[in-house]
Amino acid sequence: MSDAGADKGHQAGTGDVFKALADPTRRKILDELAERDGQTLFEICSRLTMKHQLGSSRQAISQHLEVLIRADLVASRRAGRYKFHHLNTEPLERLTNRWRNREAKES
């Protein structure tokens, strides 16, 4: 699904995920994709400006998206001249399962 993100076989490291989540703008981008998945850069920028009063440039939002893609939290796909961004919750599930599974083993 991703043409700009991690390869299918690549799993982002825990540090990549935490680094990506540390920034409030990136968390807002993830919130927007959770609310409406499959947005273009233009749509994401528009929603961030209208809903969150974020005046970040398209270039800045694009750089935030690249961090999220490297952390495997966002996947992108091209369709013609458009690039659509999709939320990927698998890295978050791996993190929570890490502690959930440990708790089950101790019981």
Side-chain angles (χ1 to χ4, degrees):
M1 179 193 235
S2 172
D3 67 345
D7 297 332
K8 278 279 193 203
H10 174 266
Q11 283 188 356
T14 303
D16 295 332
V17 175
F18 282 117
K19 176 185 173 191
L21 294 173
D23 185 87
T25 300
R26 290 193 282 268
R27 291 193 305 268
K28 286 182 176 110
I29 292 169
L30 293 174
D31 289 340
E32 289 304 316
L33 289 174
E35 188 174 306
R36 186 168 170 273
D37 204 23
Q39 295 183 59
T40 64
L41 175 61
F42 177 79
E43 291 170 311
I44 293 168
C45 290
S46 297
R47 289 173 67 99
L48 290 173
T49 299
M50 293 178 70
K51 289 177 66 178
H52 304 282
Q53 291 73 46
L54 283 178
S56 299
S57 68
R58 288 177 58 147
Q59 182 179 3
I61 298 303
S62 181
Q63 289 171 347
H64 283 300
L65 281 167
E66 287 303 316
V67 172
L68 292 167
I69 289 168
R70 281 194 305 273
D72 203 23
L73 292 165
V74 170
S76 63
R77 68 173 170 80
R78 284 207 177 272
R81 54 181 255 188
Y82 297 101
K83 189 175 188 180
F84 296 93
H85 303 282
H86 299 273
L87 179 64
N88 178 21
T89 59
E90 289 177 19
L92 299 173
E93 292 166 12
R94 283 193 302 269
L95 285 177
T96 58
N97 286 339
R98 172 182 175 176
W99 289 288
R100 224 180 305 178
N101 290 341
R102 182 170 290 157
E103 188 176 283
K105 288 176 187 175
E106 291 175 3
S107 300

